[in-house]
Amino acid sequence: MARLLLIGAVAAVVFTVISIIDCAVQPATRHRGAPKAAWVVITCVPVIGGILWWIIGRSRGSAETFTVPDAPDDDPTFLREAAAKESDERIRQLEEELRQLDEEEDDEGEADDEDDGEGDDSPKGRGDDSDESGDADSRGAGDGPNGRPDARG
């Protein structure tokens, strides 16, 4: 009989200590019926305080008060922000590529302009559409230097 009382006393002390710790660790929003400090004092009463804490004082918490946080790839807000950042970055890259292409075209256009008029005053050098021989007879009578009919005749 003494062993049974000793085991019961140890179980009561363990149960009371666990109840006190659980009451003290829970946030104040999870205490029902009385403030947190009052529940800590109530749970100090051996066995009865613990039983009252587990049955009445401790709320189980609803789904809206305790939610499991979403992983970043499951969070729609995070995904929208990430997509916006990616699209902004892609737009910036495309604009940069277009700017570089425009600069290259401008550089090539300036080089073509410089090459067209330098050192060659022949009709071929100016880009005329005359035939390969370049003689005036092949252009036709009355044609001007650019291959068009001459206003003089």
Side-chain angles (χ1 to χ4, degrees):
M1 182 72 173
R3 287 184 190 172
L4 189 59
L5 286 175
L6 185 61
I7 292 173
V10 169
V13 169
V14 168
F15 177 71
T16 302
V17 169
I18 290 173
S19 298
I20 292 170
I21 292 172
D22 185 62
C23 179
V25 170
Q26 294 293 324
T29 58
R30 304 253 337 241
H31 290 76
R32 289 188 299 182
K36 183 176 182 174
W39 276 113
V40 171
V41 172
I42 292 170
T43 54
C44 289
V45 176
V47 183
I48 295 174
I51 292 173
L52 289 174
W53 165 248
W54 289 99
I55 293 174
I56 298 172
R58 186 173 194 266
S59 71
R60 290 186 171 80
S62 62
E64 61 235 3
T65 59
F66 181 74
T67 58
V68 177
D70 290 334
D73 59 344
D74 292 339
D75 185 14
T77 305
F78 176 81
L79 292 175
R80 274 192 300 271
E81 291 172 2
K85 288 178 184 176
E86 287 177 12
S87 66
D88 289 346
E89 179 63 23
R90 180 68 180 147
I91 289 171
R92 189 193 63 73
Q93 287 175 348
L94 290 173
E95 287 175 346
E96 178 67 22
E97 289 175 13
L98 283 173
R99 186 186 59 77
Q100 289 174 351
L101 287 173
D102 286 343
E103 287 177 359
E104 288 175 9
E105 287 178 2
D106 290 344
D107 292 343
E108 289 175 5
E110 289 174 7
D112 288 344
D113 291 344
E114 292 172 2
D115 290 343
D116 283 345
E118 286 185 12
D120 190 13
D121 289 335
S122 69
K124 287 177 113 180
R126 289 186 302 223
D128 290 341
D129 291 327
S130 61
D131 69 342
E132 294 181 19
S133 66
D135 57 324
D137 293 337
S138 66
R139 283 189 276 165
D143 286 347
N146 60 3
R148 294 192 183 130
D150 194 6
R152 290 179 274 169

